Each structure stands twice: as C-alpha cells, then as structure tokens.
Amino acid sequence: MDTTIFETIKKEIRNQTTIPYFGLGVFEGIMTKDGEAVPHDSDSLILAMNGGRAMAPRLMYEYSRAAMHLEQRRGVEYMTQLINHIYTKPFDPTPLHKAIVDMMPRYIIDTNRDTKLQEVLAYTPHCMIIGKARIMGNDYRYEVYEYDVENQKYFLVEEEVLETAEKILFKPMGTPLPNPSFIISDADYVDWLTEAMGGYAVPKVLKTYRKTKKYLFLGTSFDRDTDRMVANELSLDLEGGYVITDKELGKKEKKFIDKHNLEVIPMSLPEFIKAFV
C-alpha cells in the first residue's frame, strides 16, 4: 500500500478540500466504560435497541426498519429515550475523532448519534447543525446551534451565523445534546430524505461551501439504500473522495462508488486508523 495516500488525505483535510464523513463503523471494537460494545453496524445497533436480543429476520435487515417496528409498538418518545440511553453511556472519544479534529477541518459530517465530536470540540467555538424529521410548521429539516465555550452550552441561532463560522459540525441523524433528537426509524428517514431531495435538509451556506469538495468516508458502508441516499444528499456537487473497506463490494455499492468517483482504500478501518493516526 502506497503510504503517500495518508499524507495526501491529511493535507486535503487541513486545507479544507476534503470533508471528513463519520459512519457507524468508526466504533468497531470500542467499549463503554461499563464494558459494553458501542454499536458499530446495523446488527449491533438493533441488538442494542432490543435488549441484546435478535429480532425477526425481516426486521434485522436494517436498523431503521427495526426502529420503526419498536416505534409502532412503543411510540416516538420511547424511541428517543432509548437511543439517548444507548448513546449517553460513558465512553471516550476514539483516537480517530481526536485526530480528525486536530487536522482542523472547517466542516465535519457525523452521521452517528453520539456526542464524541462535541466532546472533543468542547473548548472550541463551533456551530452545529442537527437534522430533524417530522417537524410541523416548515419544510426545513435542521436546526442550527452556536456553542458558547465559556458556558459550555448550545444556543439556537439563525443559519446566517454559519457564513462566518470557523468550525461546523453537521449531525444529520441527531444527537443527545443539547436536547435528545434523532432520525432513526423508517418514517424519520422517509420524511428527512423527501425534504432533502427538495433541498430542505442542508443549509444554503453549505450548499455553496461543499461544491467540488472531496469526502473521506470513515466507517460508512454503502450496502443499504438508506446510507447511500443519505450520503448522496449530503455530498451533492462532490469532486470525489475516499472509501475505506477491505470487504468485497456488492453491485449497488460499486455503482455508488463509481458514480461518485470515490477511490477505494483496500484496508479495514482499524488498519487505516493505525496508519492514519
């Protein structure tokens, strides 16, 4: 493996031409302080949602389907509390979270539902965009917050603030902080993706900023329709980018990777992290 690729990617992150994009796989092998595995893929997230028990095969296909089933039985509020419980169990930010923030990118996309990047940024002024679903009153599917370092608090602000923000963290699928809010079930995704396709899920500033950028997909796989559709909407106008995987790619994954001009780095994510961090 040509090691210059790692230096190239680092340089591109530092000079703001490549945008880091975090997915579930970044938590592979990560444990909470109580010794529980942090969900790192669809199956482990379903098990976490269902008290460690597998669900029916049709529900095990994708976590959003399993979440929809639980939501229909127990309600939206139950799901919010459940996901909040999973992602507020104490565990440290990973070396990858710290390394990426140290590279000083202006903009990071984190499709996970934890607070680790927020914790790493706790002493850095930043803005955060939280994705929302099924909200009444407008078509927009996000809220913009500004972080006050002195008071360690987020304040809801108008999106114009993003124009001059030095750091922007985009959490399209939600986060426990400042208020638990998540996109997790099929119904959430259908609503978010429908509005995203209409241009209502990404603030205007970012639509301009992201033009001709590359993306570094970390722990993201494209074998499920949902993940592909979300990545497609968040990376419109991209120049290309990188996918890290040592798995054999399916037909749909290959098609997505080719269409988006992504370079496959054939390593497992833990191997990549070792070489990269």
Side-chain angles (χ1 to χ4, degrees):
M1 178 88 207
D2 184 0
T3 55
T4 55
I5 187 77
F6 306 120
E7 293 314 311
T8 302
I9 295 170
K10 285 179 193 178
K11 203 161 139 194
E12 289 171 359
I13 291 172
R14 289 191 187 107
N15 67 20
Q16 319 300 333
T17 54
T18 288
I19 295 165
Y21 184 114
F22 284 78
L24 262 177
V26 299
F27 293 121
E28 188 174 349
I30 302 296
M31 308 296 277
T32 68
K33 290 182 178 172
D34 299 327
E36 289 178 44
V38 178
H40 68 276
D41 61 8
S42 183
D43 283 2
S44 57
L45 182 49
I46 293 171
L47 293 174
M49 289 193 288
N50 200 42
R53 297 180 307 278
M55 296 175 81
R58 68 182 176 84
L59 299 176
M60 290 297 293
Y61 175 72
E62 192 169 14
Y63 67 76
S64 58
R65 193 182 284 184
M68 191 72 231
H69 176 75
L70 290 170
E71 183 190 295
Q72 284 166 339
R73 283 177 51 209
R74 309 291 290 271
V76 175
E77 191 49 43
Y78 170 81
M79 279 312 297
T80 302
Q81 287 172 4
L82 177 62
I83 300 304
N84 188 55
H85 173 67
I86 291 168
Y87 283 111
T88 50
K89 290 177 178 177
F91 67 102
D92 291 326
T94 72
L96 184 62
H97 287 98
K98 291 174 188 160
I100 292 288
V101 170
D102 283 348
M103 287 171 207
M104 309 284 286
R106 183 186 177 210
Y107 176 40
I108 300 174
I109 297 173
D110 183 11
T111 63
N112 294 321
R113 297 167 183 83
D114 62 281
T115 58
K116 297 308 122 183
L117 282 168
Q118 289 166 266
E119 288 168 32
V120 179
L121 290 168
Y123 299 97
T124 308
H126 63 276
C127 285
M128 178 170 65
I129 304 150
I130 298 177
K132 307 292 273 186
R134 297 147 82 185
I135 48 176
M136 307 300 280
N138 67 51
D139 294 324
Y140 292 98
R141 289 300 179 261
Y142 57 84
E143 289 176 344
V144 179
Y145 289 84
E146 191 165 21
Y147 183 69
D148 176 349
V149 174
E150 207 177 318
N151 295 302
Q152 304 262 295
K153 272 191 179 146
Y154 285 98
F155 293 94
L156 199 57
V157 291
E158 296 298 319
E159 68 176 79
E160 286 69 33
V161 172
L162 297 172
E163 288 169 27
T164 52
E166 286 181 22
K167 279 225 174 323
I168 300 168
L169 173 62
F170 192 179
K171 301 275 295 172
M173 302 303 125
T175 172
L177 287 174
N179 308 300
S181 167
F182 307 99
I183 291 169
I184 187 75
S185 71
D186 278 345
D188 293 330
Y189 275 108
V190 167
D191 177 78
W192 187 88
L193 283 163
T194 303
E195 299 304 338
M197 286 166 189
Y200 296 110
V202 175
K204 198 170 149 205
V205 179
L206 291 181
K207 287 178 186 170
T208 308
Y209 179 77
R210 70 186 179 183
K211 284 190 170 139
T212 69
K213 296 278 194 271
K214 288 158 107 177
Y215 291 79
L216 172 63
F217 289 100
L218 296 159
T220 309
S221 69
F222 300 111
D223 59 344
R224 293 286 180 268
D225 292 349
T226 307
D227 291 330
R228 284 194 302 275
M229 287 159 84
V230 168
N232 188 60
E233 291 306 319
L234 293 173
S235 66
L236 288 176
D237 301 318
L238 87 170
E239 183 84 4
Y242 311 93
V243 179
I244 295 115
T245 183
D246 59 350
K247 295 183 173 72
E248 200 178 323
L249 297 167
K251 208 156 74 176
K252 285 184 176 177
E253 289 173 282
K254 272 191 190 135
K255 194 176 166 190
F256 183 91
I257 286 166
D258 291 346
K259 185 187 165 196
H260 292 79
N261 193 27
L262 304 177
E263 180 183 340
V264 176
I265 298 174
M267 304 174 85
S268 71
L269 190 62
E271 282 174 324
F272 175 82
I273 292 166
K274 211 184 257 183
F276 189 68
V277 172

